[in-house]
Amino acid sequence: MALIETVRLRQQYDGRDVLREIDLKIERGEVFALIGPTGAGKTTLLRLIDLIDMPTSGKIIFDGADVTVSERVRLETRRRMAFVLQKPIVFNMSVYDNIAYGLRWRGVGGRKVREKADSILE
């Protein structure tokens, strides 16, 4: 059984396909590299696999469990993961900005960022 599997994964933005019908299997212990030109959908695929974003359609399966069926399962699985960018942008800003960046990365916007960051810092 694959540790990570995608089945017919699709992601659209503004009605435009960014990823279409992606089938992928990564076995436990396997080293996996994702390469391609700018705009090919690498970051989109990684954001989906890391459960930061939800796909337009298709499945993401971790260790045999379909994590796209419920928000609860997705969040439980997400808490066991990490996402490291190629060029680190955190820790070279203020503590507040680092917290706000993480929230923005997860799609939190505007006033909610300030409220949550202030609450976390409190």
Side-chain angles (χ1 to χ4, degrees):
M1 170 188 333
L3 177 63
I4 301 170
E5 182 176 0
T6 66
V7 180
R8 300 178 58 92
L9 200 62
R10 169 178 253 152
Q11 186 68 332
Q12 294 180 323
Y13 295 118
D14 298 325
R16 186 176 145 260
D17 282 336
V18 176
L19 297 175
R20 189 174 339 146
E21 307 298 320
I22 304 296
D23 291 323
L24 171 71
K25 285 186 180 182
I26 303 171
E27 301 295 332
R28 190 176 303 280
E30 182 177 359
V31 175
F32 178 79
L34 185 60
I35 59 173
T38 300
K42 300 177 302 291
T43 300
T44 298
L45 180 58
L46 290 174
R47 287 180 62 92
L48 291 170
I49 290 172
D50 197 42
L51 307 177
I52 294 170
D53 296 333
M54 285 297 289
T56 303
S57 64
K59 295 180 183 181
I60 302 170
I61 301 168
F62 280 95
D63 214 11
D66 183 351
V67 297
T68 55
V69 295
S70 92
E71 183 71 11
R72 182 187 58 77
V73 172
R74 185 178 79 81
L75 288 174
E76 286 173 2
T77 305
R78 174 73 183 101
R79 288 184 179 114
R80 299 174 21 214
M81 305 169 104
F83 188 88
V84 179
L85 296 169
Q86 180 178 358
K87 294 180 181 176
I89 55 174
V90 293
F91 307 123
N92 63 352
M93 301 180 283
S94 70
V95 173
Y96 178 88
D97 288 336
N98 279 298
I99 292 168
Y101 181 81
L103 294 168
R104 287 187 192 104
W105 181 258
R106 287 169 175 80
V108 178
R111 183 178 298 158
K112 258 313 200 203
V113 170
R114 178 165 296 283
E115 290 170 8
K116 285 187 173 234
D118 288 345
S119 174
I120 290 166
L121 288 170
E122 182 74 24

